[in-house]
Amino acid sequence: MAEVVGNGVQVSHSNLGYGLVLLGLLAATFAAFVGLWSGLTRRETLLPWVRGAVYTFSGSMILSNLTMIHALFFDDFSVKYVAQVGSKATPPIFKVVSLWSALEGSILFWGMILAVYLLVFTLMYRKAQGRFVQLSLGIMAAVAVFFAFLIAGPANPWTAIPNPLSDGPGPNPLLQNHPLMIIHPPMLYLGYVGMTVPFGIASGALLSGEITAAWMMPLRKWSMVPFLFLSIGIILGSWWAYAVLGWGGYWAWDPVENAALLPWIAITAFLHSTMVLERKGSLKLWTLALGLAAFVLTIVGTFMTRSGVFNSVHSFTQSEIGPTFLKFIVIIFVFSFVLLVVRGGKLQSDSPLESVASREGSILLNNLAFAALLFTVLLGTIFPLVQEALFNKRISVGEPYFNAMSMPCWILILFLMGVGPMMPWGKAEPDLVLKQLLVPGAGALVGLAASMALGARNPWAIGVYTLAGFVAMVTLRELFLPAQSRMQESKENPFTALVRSASKARRRFGGYVVHLGIVGIAVAVAASSTAKVHVSGTVKVGETLEVAGHKVRFDGLSSGSEPHRTWTGADVTVIFPGGSEAVHHGLKAPRMNFYERQTDPVGSPMVDEGALRDVYVSLMAFDSKTPSATFNAWVFPLVGWIWYAIPVLVLGSIIALWPQGRRREEREAPAKAIPQGSA
Amino acid sequence: MIALSLALALVAGDYAPARQGLEPLDAQREARVMKLGKVLRCAVCQGLSIADSPASMARAQLDKVRELVAEGKTDQEVMDYFVARYGEWALLEPTTNGLNGLLWLGPVVLLVVGLLVIVSLVKKRAPGELAPQAPAAAADDPFLAQVRAELEK
Amino acid sequence: MSKTAWALFAVLGVALGAMWLVFHKSFGNDPHAVPFELAGKPAPRFTMKRLDTGELVKLEDFIGRPIVLNFWATWCGPCKEEHPVLQWAYQKWQRDVVFLGVVFEDTEENTKAFLVQNGSSWPQLYDPKSTVAVDFGVAGVPETYFINRSGVIVGKYPYPIDPQTMTKRISEILQ
């Protein structure tokens, strides 16, 4: 792949890609130093230099990634990373996916996403005041320095191989097995890397000592972005696990899953406490600490999946980058901590808490629940390491622990999702709250009655359904009541009323839409985990396996081959209780895939998706002489609602993030308010 | 190439590492088996329980649980069988002994302390001090005010 | 700086120290390694069918002689790799040491076809429901167990075995 250019200089993928990384490292270092120094010493004239350096970093990082994609696409096995994950037989789309399928490539990809974030941030604030941009960008560029350094040194994918082989092993078969793998990691990375921006802004605010709306507004907005992508990434990841791993579950509290959940918990808590900060001027220290923690936890999570010290389904192989990551964690941890302690005095609360029975009180409780959840997940994930380091004792902390310990927190959070919006800021008047309770109370009763009628027996599940009915009604009322009053007062048609009321308070409206999605997920998780039905057995051709009224008929074995794998499937027909049939033959059948360079087969389950239930069949073994097949079959009620919630979360987040057309401050509203006591 | 020919052989022949397991016990004892299966870690998987894992070794282990339950062993004896082979590593639900206590108590302590902090944050007003302007506090939430106005009609 | 700040920094220092210690001790450990607690304990008893002759073989049949017990399956690539090493070891130590292969998670036909193709002079036992494997605390294929004269498991090697390891481990059970 080497080409001779001009006067005999050889340009290879390796040289070009690595050169671009070095240029990016240089530019990021310059941006970090100049940005922080000029921001702290108030030299606004240097801002164009910072911007220029950021553009250079972004440009070179993006080009370096494009070079790698080119190298992967054209099978240039003289590049170390291509030799490691590439193969000629890999289908083109998975050649691109290979970019993030192994350690070095995933760090390179991280660098590109960071470059895109920095680019967008710089372009968005090209007219903003100097100090904000200088300090925020300075911190973000410092993070970029770390990643560029990783790519240039410990995780260098660009090493040239002098005598390249003519073919490579291809990426991990698990990653080639499902189209979700194309979209899921980029979403997750957009979430992870996106945490850099709120970290930059929050650190910048603390460095400058100005905790003002000018800093808080962008901080909130930029926290929504990683929240959204991380939510999507986590849900898609669980969907992938469900659709590919074949054990009939979507969440196993695996370290890699916990690694994504930790920053999600922190940023979600942040998005709630920031409301208290904005309205009451209190919880400043706590809110900023959550914002910083979300980033630190992102790096901790990345360390977990890439250091090779955690046992996990998708952890990358043992690597050299663990110690480097650990040092970075220490640096950002100390930096955040010192910043908070030193600036703590400036973060005095403007107004005290009057009552726990208030909006701010419910948000405090929400934050407590999230904090307990965060602590549980973090503790459970690292505890085996602690036991081994201190007592040389190997223990496991698995699903039973995490389920038992996190369940009360989740229930409390769900409860507060209903109670919180009913509480006024300041102090709640009991009779007023009680008056509001009628409609949501009815919702709770419907949830309870429906769960009893459908035969739910698990007390946790019944609790979730009841609370879901309650929260759904509260949320719907918050969403539609303003529109209804507009319809009555201004005689607007329903659609106009809804759009106008929503656009007047986008964050509130968007937030409640997200809540609706979360309610859907809560119901889906409760139903699919407590009301699933599982059957396993061996059947001959023509025989059926019955699971929860659904019959799975074995129609015979089929097989096929593709360039990178051969497979054997057990063709099945699902016969529904109503008598209708769904045929799952060939590639749609539960299969075993045999990859060219892997000895163990990789199973693919068959999933017959439905709005109310999924029929899920895994092939465990087959015998071509009889012929017979051994299946694991499940019926999962409502499980699809988890993934169907993604568009709702996206819609809500987009509404919340949609730029306000005219800068109309909400302050003008109080004129319409009526005194609370007048009832 | 070796792997490919192996794969082809398997496609032509059969893949049967997973032998048929034992028949399930009666409903009551089978429920016990599944409950135990949920807390025992599969030896060849990544952190899955032997009840969840599709690996054939996990089903052999689950069969062992069935066998031990059928012999009339208690839950503790069944778990001890696996601990004798794999140590406490085999238990997905960690014990409460020693340092593990921290694992179970830590989050609870955090919740309790957090609750106390929140309660202590509620400002105790001196008798002479002005009552809080609750109406004003409510008023800076135009939506809530609107909602309330709606309710009181 | 206030006293609270110093106290907080002290807490930070301790937390960082603990974190550093824990993670540093973890580097290099294989998180996928499965603990094995049967070393030094008597080997579990078993009765398995010999694949070539069909006779039942018991652990007690070999009391007083050291045993090398190799768990494997035909679909496992590394098992194929270590097959010649076992062959070599059997030739070398067959007078002093009992060599037993245990095939689990596999079919009889597969195994017989494999043995015809690759050859095997030492007895192969068949564990159709993997019960013996579970009793021995097997955590993958291939695994080789070393049992001394008094029937105590001295240790196991949970990877494809190589001649050096085989020599070293056999000398341990010959003592």
Side-chain angles (χ1 to χ4, degrees), chain A residues 57 110-111 113-118 121 135-147 188-204 218-219 222-223 225-227 230 263 267 291-299 302 328 332 335:
Chain A
F57 165 77
W110 186 297
I113 294 182
L114 188 55
V116 172
Y117 268 112
L118 285 181
F121 184 87
L135 288 175
S136 309
L137 268 184
I139 297 287
M140 290 180 228
V143 174
V145 170
F146 169 70
F147 280 97
L188 214 47
Y189 285 13
L190 278 165
Y192 284 150
V193 185
M195 294 292 182
T196 312
V197 183
F199 177 73
I201 302 173
S203 311
L219 178 55
W222 280 98
S223 305
V225 177
F227 164 81
L230 207 50
I267 205 71
L292 299 180
F295 176 74
V296 177
L297 287 166
T298 302
I299 301 298
T302 313
F328 185 55
I332 56 176
F335 171 77

Side-chain angles (χ1 to χ4, degrees), chain A residues 279 311 353-354 372 376 383 387 394 396 398 401 405 424 436 482 485 488 505 508 596 601 620 622-624, chain B residues 3 13-15 41 46 54 89 91-92 99-100 103-104 107 110 122-123 132 140-141 143-144 146 148 150-151:
Chain A
R279 192 166 290 271
N311 183 348
L353 184 66
E354 284 166 35
T376 305
F383 206 74
Q387 277 282 23
R394 297 281 306 274
S396 299
Y401 169 82
M405 297 298 279
Q436 289 188 63
S485 81
Q488 283 168 358
R508 163 193 288 268
E596 197 176 325
M620 307 298 295
F622 59 84
D623 182 350
S624 57
Chain B
D14 52 10
Y15 175 73
R41 182 168 183 167
Q46 309 287 345
W89 178 90
L91 306 176
L92 281 173
L99 197 61
N100 281 3
L103 197 56
W104 293 99
L110 184 115
V122 178
K123 179 108 177 204
D140 54 40
D141 192 345
F143 265 81
L144 207 71
Q146 211 170 359
R148 233 174 259 125
E150 211 56 43
L151 283 168

Side-chain angles (χ1 to χ4, degrees), chain A residues 525-595:
Chain A
V525 169
S528 61
S529 55
T530 60
K532 65 182 172 195
V533 182
H534 173 216
V535 162
S536 67
T538 304
V539 284
K540 295 200 179 84
V541 174
E543 289 178 348
T544 61
L545 203 61
E546 189 165 335
V547 49
H550 297 69
K551 290 196 178 88
V552 177
R553 190 181 68 216
F554 176 43
D555 297 337
L557 294 170
S558 63
S559 62
S561 73
E562 289 161 35
H564 61 309
R565 65 177 183 195
T566 56
W567 52 265
T568 296
D571 292 343
V572 292
T573 300
V574 179
I575 303 156
F576 298 101
S580 60
E581 297 186 352
V583 178
H584 291 269
H585 284 184
L587 279 170
K588 280 167 68 196
R591 274 178 299 144
M592 295 233 177
N593 305 292
F594 303 91
Y595 286 84

Side-chain angles (χ1 to χ4, degrees), chain A residues 2 17 23 52 66 100 117 142 178 204 240 271 286 290 302 307 313 350 353 360 384 395 450 452 462 503 580 589 646:
Chain A
L23 179 61
L66 292 177
W100 55 79
Y117 268 112
H178 201 279
W240 171 82
L271 286 172
W286 172 249
L290 280 174
T302 313
S307 61
V313 198
D350 291 356
L353 184 66
E360 54 269 46
I395 67 155
M452 296 312 267
I462 293 170
S503 73
S580 60
I646 293 177

Side-chain angles (χ1 to χ4, degrees), chain A residues 221 224-225 227-229 232 506-507 509-511 513-514 646-660:
Chain A
K221 282 214 156 156
M224 285 293 294
V225 177
F227 164 81
L228 174 63
F229 284 121
I232 298 175
R506 288 172 187 168
R507 268 174 53 218
F509 198 87
V513 172
V514 170
I646 293 177
V648 183
L649 300 183
V650 173
L651 178 71
S653 303
I654 288 178
I655 293 173
L657 277 171
W658 202 264
Q660 209 81 22

